């Protein structure tokens, strides 16, 4: 249910942001390929919304889709899976997996095209098992750890959705002093900890092998397992313990100084320093007694320090201590009673055979109980009781077994451990039963030989190392070290990597140096964990494992990324400085200083805001919504790397309104505040209209009207919403007087602002009310229009008169100058023959070659090629290069003028002819039959409600092409019909307006143009361009390229001299200009369409 609600929520967001969704499919993952989700035609209900003519022969294809996930049959529109869909691969670590698609549906024969938006919800199944990063891990916990103390361990990861993610953990086997707790972090990750649930005692249990089980939310749940080897660390919580609390030793009074009389032995259950024992004689006893004996602090051997003296019925009571080496040592004490015997016989003699060729006995640490270590022979030649001898051994690791009379063997009594103690000191004491009995001691050393019973041990269970990303393969990362307490080959160690290291690392098997085997990228993998083996050379070999953790150090190779593509905020105007506006946030995949992000504004940012390094935007200037209601600026996020990386984002801050402007009262005002009111007016008659406004917005600009002060005895009242002042009481002649009302106009802000103005109402006997009430906004606008119209008409008439006078005088001057030049050059050579082969399209500023035949230049050299250059309309025409002969200037100028007059006569003759009537889709879409300027002849309004700028953007050209007419019947809207570019003629549909017209398609013969204009074709100016096609070449199926509303009959242009500037006509044309394009009479055999720019010198 929760997953379905999330999918609906994602769908709602997608519809809100991206438009409507036509089809939604739900499919469960892991169903395989070729699974049908639906049919686009049926599911999108194309047949219901469109008739058969639109949906016949449809083709279906993807506009966009994730690669290779889905397939669509282009004909049947069956929508299927193209592969097995694994949700965890397509949408890794996402709670919901939604795939948006766009399907294009088009008809092969009809003009049908539609885009279908599809959303595919890929639903999760419980197909992933919780997996721990490592199958096993080692954990060391001190036995002093308190109950409920927890230790972090690696948690399991389940790639399924939240519903099937890890739900609980369990510790096996049950009964261990541990439990697992886990909780979810803010970023939805899980923190898993091993918790101590009861006290630990290393001396009782030093190691636990437990299993951590992770259960997911499936039914039945899938289970992941990780082994945890828990080693209980020692603390110094045990005292040393002597093997006896009281020792009794008997010695002869003649015993030699430095003779060992007793081997003290104490043990400690702790380990390490806490279990190592030292011995000493207690200082809390008589100094005389302390001076007779001394003890070896390491071995515990009690020896004679001074010669002993026999005293009847006396003994030496000596207190000895054993203490460990912990930080706070624990001591323990024992009593040694030393009895001194009077000498009267000979002590026994002991002979020891160590059964080796060395000065010590040897025994394997694998030796079983009973293994012989040494042979003992006792010799006592005394007679009687003085010769009867019994022996004992001081080391409890061994035992003394009797072989024959006066012979013994020393055997192993307890298991040997060379690594714990590689040498044992053994004292054999033999004593007769004489009176007093005599004894003797003999000692020897037993060395324990090594066996391969110790596995190598790493100096650390887990090693941590680091290496910078972008390293070189072969770089050394860390050197590990393992030791083996065995000897010889049993302690010779070599190293190798576990399989979980993959091919990312390698290790030197002799030195333990781990090296990089590739180049690392911290942003891809920031940490590697793998295991390494230490293997000794024993037979069989033993090994141990350590974990290597390699952290990849960061380099500044990532740029900060803002959490949003654009930040938007709003703040009220007039707020104080340091007001919070917005908090910018950005992340950097790098770490350390390279991942720390600071924010700043570009230099010279002139905005009323301050951006703190932590991304906080504060007000740092005066905000006035009425001056500027929106600020758009750029912020920069920089990391702290060296050098830093930067990124930027656009910030939009909208200034909201505060009620900081008083209402403005237009009427009444200081110069206009009086209204005359007829005493005969009926109740509720409006006598004045209060006019006011407020430049704030929202409720702050909504006005409320009231009367603050008055002296009218409530004769008048005001509408609080409209500001209309009305007659509230019936007036009588006695009310004829002058009254004043103080009008209060208030806005509806939280703290309203009020403006006051006085209104004088004069009640008179007349039947009409005259006042500012007639002074309404509509009247003001009408009066203003009238004034503007009068001024404009006056200015236009004045300018026309001045221009007419100027052009007439200029024409007369030029005509006189032309006549003089013509007479002076009457005998000049005729114009050279010109062969024009213009390019297919000539842009302004492009050179057009003109080739002259049999002519030479002024220097007598043959001029094989001169260049005409088509002029750019924005460049002064006088700067254009000319290629006509210098001797032809006068004659050519005259011919140009004549050509212009003839051309304009034809324009005049055809100007008022009615265009054939055609329907126009363009007019239907953009009507303007009733606009305010629909009948006016201003340049910016052509009569169809489109300004000059709009015409340029729509038609891709200025008005020079707007009025082209040809003989194929386009009409012009207005006085003469519908212009060609607004016709619905099929020849003008689907034509691109984005490219210039193909001015040159074919070459028109000079004779064809001479037929119409006379033999002046080689004198035509560059800016008069002729479009021509014979009638016989017109074909309904012609696919000649055209431009905008130009018909297929428009063809090549012929260049003429630019001295013809414009033609000024004597009649009014409301939809063309004198610098536009004209089509000479459609009845002509060879219709010519020309475009004129300036002909200021010719009047018709």
């Amino acid at each position: 249910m929760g997953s379905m609600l999330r999918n609906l929520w994602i769908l709602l967001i997608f519809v809100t942001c991206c438009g409507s969704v036509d089809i939604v499919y739900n499919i469960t993952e892991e169903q395989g390929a070729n699974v049908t989700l639906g049919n686009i035609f049926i599911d999108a209900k194309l047949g219901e919304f469109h008739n058969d003519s639109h949906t016949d022969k449809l083709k279906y294809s993807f506009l966009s889709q994730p690669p290779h996930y889905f397939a669509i049959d282009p004909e049947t529109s069956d929508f299927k899976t193209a592969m097995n869909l694994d949700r965890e691969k397509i949408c890794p670590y996402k709670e919901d997996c939604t795939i948006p698609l766009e399907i294009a549906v088009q008809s092969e024969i009809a003009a049908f095209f539609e885009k279908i938006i599809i959303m595919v919800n890929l639903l999760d199944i419980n197909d992933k098992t919780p997996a721990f990063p490592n199958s096993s891990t080692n954990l060391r916990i001190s036995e002093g750890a308190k109950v409920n103390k927890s230790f972090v361990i690696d948690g399991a990861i389940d790639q399924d959705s939240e519903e099937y993610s890890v739900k609980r953990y369990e510790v096996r086997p049950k009964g261990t002093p541990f439990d697992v707790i886990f909780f979810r972090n803010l970023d939805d990750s899980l923190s898993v900890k091993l918790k101590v649930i009861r006290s630990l005692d290393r001396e009782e249990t030093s190691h636990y092998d437990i299993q951590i089980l992770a259960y997911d939310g499936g039914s039945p749940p899938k289970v992941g397992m990780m082994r945890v080897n828990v080693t209980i660390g020692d603390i110094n919580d045990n005292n040393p313990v002597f093997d006896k609390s009281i020792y009794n030793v008997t010695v002869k009074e003649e015993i030699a100084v430095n003779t060992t009389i007793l081997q003290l032995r104490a043990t400690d259950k702790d380990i390490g320093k806490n279990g190592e024992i030292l011995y000493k004689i207690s200082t809390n006893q008589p100094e005389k007694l302390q001076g007779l004996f001394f003890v070896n602090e390491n071995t515990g051997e009690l020896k004679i320090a001074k010669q002993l003296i026999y005293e009847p019925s006396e003994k030496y009571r000596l207190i000895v201590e054993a203490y460990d080496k912990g930080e706070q040592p624990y001591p323990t004490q024992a009593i040694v009673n030393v009895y001194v015997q009077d000498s009267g016989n000979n002590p026994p003699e002991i002979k020891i055979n160590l059964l080796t060729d060395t000065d010590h006995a040897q025994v394997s640490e694998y030796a079983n109980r009973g293994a012989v270590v040494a042979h003992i022979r006792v010799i006592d030649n005394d007679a009687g009781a003085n010769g009867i001898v019994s022996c004992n051994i001081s080391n409890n690791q061994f035992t003394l077994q009797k072989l024959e009379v006066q012979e013994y063997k020393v055997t192993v009594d307890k298991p040997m451990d060379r690594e714990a103690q590689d040498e044992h000191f053994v004292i054999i004491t033999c004593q007769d039963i004489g009176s007093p009995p005599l004894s003797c001691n003999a000692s020897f050393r037993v060395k324990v030989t090594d066996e391969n019973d110790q596995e190598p041990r790493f100096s650390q269970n887990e090693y941590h190392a680091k290496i910078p990303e972008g390293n070189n393969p072969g770089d050394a990362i860390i050197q590990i070290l393992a030791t083996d307490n065995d000897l010889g080959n049993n302690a010779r160690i070599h190293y190798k990597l576990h399989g979980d290291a993959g091919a990312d690392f390698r290790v030197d098997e002799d030195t333990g140096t781990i090296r990089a085997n590739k180049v690392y990228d911290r942003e891809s993998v920031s940490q590697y964990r793998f295991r390494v083996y230490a293997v000794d050379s024993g037979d069989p070999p033993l090994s141990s494992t350590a974990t290597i953790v390699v952290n990849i150090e960061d380099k500044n190779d990532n740029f900060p990324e803002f959490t949003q593509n654009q930040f938007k905020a709003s703040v009220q105007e007039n707020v104080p400085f340091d007001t919070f506006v917005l908090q910018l946030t950005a992340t950097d995949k790098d770490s350390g200083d390279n991942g720390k992000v600071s924010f700043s504004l570009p230099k010279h940012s002139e905005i009323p805001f301050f951006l703190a390094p932590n991304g906080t935007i504060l007000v740092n200037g005066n905000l006035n919504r009425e001056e500027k209601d929106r600020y758009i600026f750029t912020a920069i996020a920089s990391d702290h790397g060296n050098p830093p990386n930067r990124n930027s984002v656009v910030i939009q801050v909208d200034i909201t309104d505060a009620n900081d402007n008083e209402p403005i009262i237009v009427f009444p005002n200081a110069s206009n505040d009086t209204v005359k009111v007829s005493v005969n007016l009926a109740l509720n008659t409006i006598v004045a209209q209060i006019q006011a406004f407020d430049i704030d917005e929202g409720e702050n600009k909504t006005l409320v009207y009231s009367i603050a002060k008055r002296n009218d005895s409530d004769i008048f009242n005001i509408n609080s919403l409209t500001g209309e002042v009305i007659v509230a009481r019936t007036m009588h002649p006695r009310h004829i007087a002058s009254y004043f009302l103080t009008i209060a106009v208030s806005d509806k802000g939280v703290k309203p602002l009020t403006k006051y103005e006085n209104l004088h109402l004069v009640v008179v006997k007349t039947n009409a009310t005259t006042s500012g009430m007639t002074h309404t906004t509509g009247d003001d606008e009408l009066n203003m229009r009238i004034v503007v119209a009068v001024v404009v008409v006056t200015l236009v008439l004045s300018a026309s008169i001045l221009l007419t006078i100027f052009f007439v005088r200029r024409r007369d001057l030029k005509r006189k100058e032309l006549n003089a030049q013509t007479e002076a050059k009457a005998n000049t050579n005729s114009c050279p023959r010109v062969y024009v082969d213009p390019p297919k399209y000539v842009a302004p500023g492009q050179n057009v070659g003109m080739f002259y035949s049999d002519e030479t230049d002024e220097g007598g050299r043959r001029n094989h090629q001169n260049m005409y250059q088509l002029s750019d309309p924005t460049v002064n025409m006088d700067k254009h290069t000319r290629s006509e002969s210098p001797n032809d200037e006068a004659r050519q100028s005259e011919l140009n003028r004549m050509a212009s007059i003839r051309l304009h006569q034809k324009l005049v003759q055809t100007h008022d002819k009615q265009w054939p009537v055609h329907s126009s889709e363009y007019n239907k879409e953009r009507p303007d039959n009733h606009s305010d300027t629909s009948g006016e002849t201003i340049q910016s309004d052509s009569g169809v409600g489109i300004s000059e700028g709009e015409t340029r953007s729509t038609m891709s050209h200025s008005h020079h092409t707007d009025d082209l007419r040809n003989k194929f019947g386009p009409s012009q809207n207005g006085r003469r019909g519908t212009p060609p570019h607004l016709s619905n003629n099929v020849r003008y549909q689907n034509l691109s307006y984005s490219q210039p017209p193909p001015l040159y398609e074919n070459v028109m013969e000079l004779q064809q143009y001479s037929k119409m204009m006379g033999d002046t074709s080689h004198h035509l100016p560059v800016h008069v361009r002729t479009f021509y096609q014979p009638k016989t070449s017109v074909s309904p199926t012609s696919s000649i390229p055209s431009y905008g509303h130009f018909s297929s009959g428009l063809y090549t242009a012929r260049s003429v001299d630019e001295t013809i500037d414009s033609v000024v006509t004597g009649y009014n044309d409301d939809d063309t200009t004198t610098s536009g394009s004209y089509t000479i009479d459609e009845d002509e055999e060879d219709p010519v369409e020309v475009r004129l720019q300036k002909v200021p010198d010719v009047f018709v």
Side-chain angles (χ1 to χ4, degrees), residues 956-967:
S956 302
H957 261 314
S958 68
H959 54 270
H960 296 301
T961 59
D962 287 343
D963 295 326
L964 289 173
R965 303 180 178 86
N966 54 37
K967 68 180 183 178

Side-chain angles (χ1 to χ4, degrees), residues 616-736:
T616 302
I617 297 179
L618 305 174
V619 174
N620 194 33
N622 295 321
L623 302 179
N624 189 338
R625 186 199 64 81
E626 287 72 26
E627 293 179 1
K628 188 169 185 179
D629 62 353
R630 174 172 293 175
Y631 291 86
I632 298 177
F633 54 94
T634 301
I636 298 172
S638 306
D639 61 31
H640 293 191
N642 186 18
N645 291 327
R646 296 181 173 88
N647 205 345
S648 62
V649 72
V650 174
I651 299 170
Q652 176 180 313
V653 179
D654 294 319
I655 310 303
T656 60
D657 186 61
N659 192 18
D660 59 342
N661 290 283
E662 292 182 345
I664 298 173
I665 300 177
V666 178
F667 176 81
N669 54 56
S671 61
N672 185 11
D673 63 347
T674 303
V675 176
K676 291 183 179 181
V677 180
S678 173
V679 73
N680 299 321
L681 290 180
L683 288 175
N684 297 324
T685 301
I686 300 173
V687 298
Q689 172 68 56
I690 306 303
Q691 299 177 19
F693 64 92
D694 194 322
I695 61 175
D696 291 324
E697 65 178 3
E699 288 295 309
N700 295 332
K701 70 177 294 183
T702 303
L703 301 181
V704 177
Y705 302 85
S706 63
I707 299 174
K709 295 180 182 180
R710 61 198 309 163
N711 69 345
D712 63 331
S713 300
D714 297 330
I715 297 175
F716 304 97
N717 204 351
I718 189 168
N719 188 316
S720 62
L721 300 179
T722 64
E724 296 170 344
V725 180
I726 63 174
V727 177
R729 291 174 51 193
T730 302
M731 290 185 291
H732 301 284
R734 68 174 180 272
H735 293 135
I736 295 175

Side-chain angles (χ1 to χ4, degrees), residues 921-932:
E921 292 182 5
Y922 188 89
N923 289 338
K924 293 178 181 179
E925 295 176 357
R926 302 198 52 180
D928 192 29
N929 296 331
H930 304 289
S931 66
D932 292 340

Side-chain angles (χ1 to χ4, degrees), residues 134-151:
N134 300 298
S135 60
S136 65
T137 186
N138 298 318
L139 186 63
R140 184 178 181 87
I141 300 176
S142 173
E143 64 176 328
K146 295 181 179 180
V147 176
N148 293 326
K149 183 175 178 59
S150 58
F151 300 87

Side-chain angles (χ1 to χ4, degrees), residues 113-128:
F113 180 88
E114 187 165 333
K115 181 174 74 174
I116 305 298
I117 298 177
I118 296 177
M119 285 184 63
V120 179
N121 293 322
L122 187 55
L123 306 180
D124 188 32
I125 61 174
N126 190 22
D127 59 336
K128 301 298 180 185

Side-chain angles (χ1 to χ4, degrees), residues 366-377:
Y366 278 176
N368 294 323
R369 185 177 183 182
V372 178
V373 176
H375 177 267
I376 306 297
R377 183 187 299 272

